[in-house]
Amino acid sequence: MDGTVLVADDDRTIRTVLTQALTRAGCKVHATSSLTTLMRWVGEGKGDVVISDVMMPDGNGLEMLPKIAQDRPGLPVIVISAQNTIMTAIQAAEAEAYDYLPKPFDLPDLMKRTARALESKQKRPRTQMIEDDRPDDLPLVGRTPVMQALYRVVAQVMNTDLPVLIWGESGTGKSLIARAIHDFSDRRSMPFVAVTPADLQDLEGPARVMARVRGGTLLIDEIGDIPDEIQARIVRMTDASGDDVPRFLATSQTDLAAAMESGRVRKDLYYRLSGATLHVPALRERVDDIPLLAHHFLARGEKSGAAQRTLSDEAAEVFRTYSWPGNVRQLENTVRRLGLTSRLPEIAATEVKQALGSQPEMEPLQAVGDTEKLGASVARHLQRYFDLHGDMLPPAGLHGRILREVEAPLIEIALSATAGNQAKAAELLGINRNTLRKKITDLGIQVTRGRKMM
């Protein structure tokens, strides 16, 4: 790489790592912990690329982007942030950041993006920053790769006219995603109207709905459960023309592509609504986000007047191991109840177990598991991961990440099946005992004796 990179981050370690990596790659680097210094450098004409954190001691990095665009049109800015919410991804997109990466970021991936930014010299158009009166407390929180990928796709489709199909299990946040797409889009000053089959039951229903939405956003809830006659009316609504045509969003608890193949959803309706398809993962597919979400909901409770509460490490682990059939909605209700009923400032594991004791667990096998081979199931999940990245490729290092995702639960289950006996588990897995020990350490697996799966 050839060029000068300006790095702004209040974390000395990150500044040091980036400076060393970029210097080895052939770049000149100026690093600072101050946005004021960064803006002075930009004003002086220094730098070919900027890498900036969001939350800095003397300001917000995102708020500097319009000023950078004004002073130095076309200067690429890569935003890195530990504020891993959909808000940050959308703000970065609306402020026309060249790229956005959540912390902790993958260094080789950041280096590749920096190299592309150095090669990019075209002027990038400005768009207005998000207005302060829009909601900033959406429970769309997550730092796992699958959620960060979802946030990026939401930001990409937000200001297009593409219809968007959002699918996922009940309680995953489909309606929140739909609302965020509207509230942060160019249509945000127009109506947001959610309709059900009852709204379209009679012949005049579609006309009344179109009159209400007036060019805003029309959300059709649970499109897969709508009768065929009403599906036909929605098709005709999507074919409307004129200045007041709304943007169509739809939610579904099932994969509509499969529902279309089985005949439950009309093909013409599916193809009209699936301009972009977003899959919202189940909570059990992103267990590393569970403690983060729990703390988020406790903080929201404090803002509403509830007493300050935190989770003990043991309580957080209990949350992680539960299957959460009701997904984020169930987690939020459970956390809110614990925030009100806990006797001590720190919520204990015993309280969490008691709260979850009366709630249902997931069925041990999903319906697809009865007929689908393991390889097909893995392929389906991998394809979904690629689809979430839209036109971009997933971050580099995919092979290692996927192996880790598969290897860790395999070893945990083998240890559980052998009651924690590492010699038996190694024999069961067909690997050397020392190799197993190293993998347990590297993967951070907790070994507990005495548990045995029947």
Side-chain angles (χ1 to χ4, degrees):
M1 289 189 286
D2 183 21
T4 300
V5 181
L6 308 181
V7 176
D9 198 296
D10 61 344
D11 188 319
R12 179 182 297 177
T13 301
I14 290 179
R15 295 198 306 272
T16 301
V17 169
L18 290 181
T19 298
Q20 292 176 348
L22 290 165
T23 301
R24 284 198 298 269
C27 295
K28 296 179 180 178
V29 182
H30 298 288
T32 179
S33 61
S34 166
L35 282 178
T36 302
T37 302
L38 172 66
M39 295 307 295
R40 176 168 56 80
W41 288 341
V42 170
E44 293 171 352
K46 294 180 179 178
D48 300 302
V49 170
V50 174
I51 300 176
S52 177
D53 193 4
V54 173
M55 302 307 295
M56 298 281 282
D58 55 346
N60 185 306
L62 287 175
E63 295 175 358
M64 297 296 105
L65 291 181
K67 176 65 174 171
I68 292 175
Q70 178 181 340
D71 293 349
R72 298 277 301 282
L75 177 63
V77 180
I78 299 175
V79 174
I80 55 177
S81 175
Q83 304 295 312
N84 300 309
T85 71
I86 193 171
M87 292 287 298
T88 310
I90 291 175
Q91 285 178 321
E94 286 205 340
E96 288 294 331
Y98 177 84
D99 214 334
Y100 160 72
L101 279 84
K103 292 181 179 180
F105 53 81
D106 180 72
L107 182 58
D109 182 37
L110 177 57
M111 296 294 287
K112 289 180 180 178
R113 292 171 190 252
T114 304
R116 287 200 297 267
L118 285 168
E119 295 171 0
S120 172
K121 299 298 182 184
Q122 70 271 25
K123 181 177 179 180
R124 301 177 61 83
R126 283 181 61 198
T127 56
Q128 191 174 14
M129 283 292 289
I130 294 176
E131 298 171 1
D132 292 337
D133 60 350
R134 282 184 281 174
D136 59 0
D137 195 25
L138 296 170
L140 295 168
V141 177
R143 60 168 56 101
T144 52
V146 68
M147 288 303 293
Q148 290 297 322
L150 176 60
Y151 296 163
R152 283 193 290 269
V153 177
V154 168
Q156 290 167 359
V157 304
M158 185 175 54
N159 280 320
T160 70
D161 292 327
L162 278 175
V164 179
L165 176 61
I166 308 164
W167 72 281
E169 294 179 7
S170 175
T172 51
K174 300 185 296 294
S175 296
L176 288 170
I177 292 286
R179 186 76 212 203
I181 290 174
H182 172 79
D183 287 345
F184 294 93
S185 74
D186 295 336
R187 298 176 187 255
R188 55 184 172 271
S189 61
M190 301 177 184
F192 177 87
V193 177
V195 299
T196 64
D199 297 309
L200 306 171
Q201 191 68 46
D202 60 81
L203 292 175
E204 300 301 320
R208 289 195 298 269
V209 169
M210 296 293 275
R212 288 170 55 201
V213 70
R214 299 192 311 279
T217 301
L218 181 61
L219 171 64
I220 306 167
D221 274 324
E222 297 306 330
I223 191 74
D225 297 333
I226 293 179
D228 186 76
E229 180 181 0
I230 297 179
Q231 289 186 33
R233 292 175 184 169
I234 296 173
V235 169
R236 291 191 289 274
M237 292 169 67
T238 63
D239 289 337
S241 59
D243 296 334
D244 290 335
V245 175
R247 184 184 193 176
F248 286 85
L249 308 180
T251 65
S252 174
Q253 290 189 31
T254 58
D255 183 353
L256 281 198
M260 178 190 67
E261 294 298 331
S262 67
R264 291 190 295 111
V265 172
R266 295 171 58 108
K267 289 186 178 181
D268 52 0
L269 177 60
Y270 172 77
Y271 289 122
R272 279 168 170 79
L273 294 179
S274 59
T277 301
L278 305 179
H279 176 252
V280 187
L283 195 53
R284 64 185 176 278
E285 297 178 78
R286 53 183 189 110
V287 293
D288 287 343
D289 285 334
I290 292 175
L292 187 70
L293 280 161
H295 288 294
H296 173 78
F297 292 133
L298 287 172
R300 286 183 62 186
E302 291 176 33
K303 292 180 181 179
S304 301
Q308 184 176 1
R309 294 286 184 268
T310 59
L311 280 181
S312 68
D313 292 341
E314 294 78 10
E317 187 59 29
V318 174
F319 272 124
R320 283 171 53 88
T321 56
Y322 181 66
S323 60
W324 299 107
N327 292 294
V328 178
R329 186 183 298 119
Q330 181 190 10
L331 173 64
E332 180 178 12
N333 291 336
T334 302
V335 171
R336 289 178 61 186
R337 184 167 64 253
L338 285 167
L340 293 172
T341 60
S342 180
R343 296 181 299 275
L344 299 173
E346 185 176 74
I347 298 173
T350 53
E351 294 176 286
V352 175
K353 290 177 181 178
Q354 184 176 7
L356 295 176
S358 59
Q359 301 191 39
E361 289 271 5
M362 287 289 295
E363 291 294 325
L365 290 176
Q366 300 297 312
V368 70
D370 295 333
T371 57
E372 188 175 44
K373 293 183 178 179
L374 177 61
S377 177
V378 171
R380 180 164 50 84
H381 285 284
L382 289 175
Q383 186 60 56
R384 181 185 302 163
Y385 178 68
F386 271 80
D387 291 343
L388 282 172
H389 287 78
D391 295 332
M392 296 181 62
L393 291 174
L398 180 62
H399 182 265
R401 290 199 304 276
I402 295 300
L403 287 184
R404 182 184 179 93
E405 289 286 337
V406 174
E407 192 172 36
L410 174 61
I411 292 174
E412 288 174 345
I413 292 171
L415 287 167
S416 180
T418 57
N421 188 311
Q422 294 184 24
K424 290 183 179 179
E427 181 181 359
L428 176 64
L429 293 168
I431 61 177
N432 183 276
R433 185 176 179 181
N434 291 332
T435 300
L436 175 61
R437 286 176 175 170
K438 185 176 186 304
K439 289 181 180 293
I440 290 172
T441 301
D442 292 345
L443 296 171
I445 296 173
Q446 299 294 320
V447 179
T448 304
R449 289 189 169 272
R451 294 182 303 158
K452 185 176 177 64
M453 294 177 62
M454 301 302 292

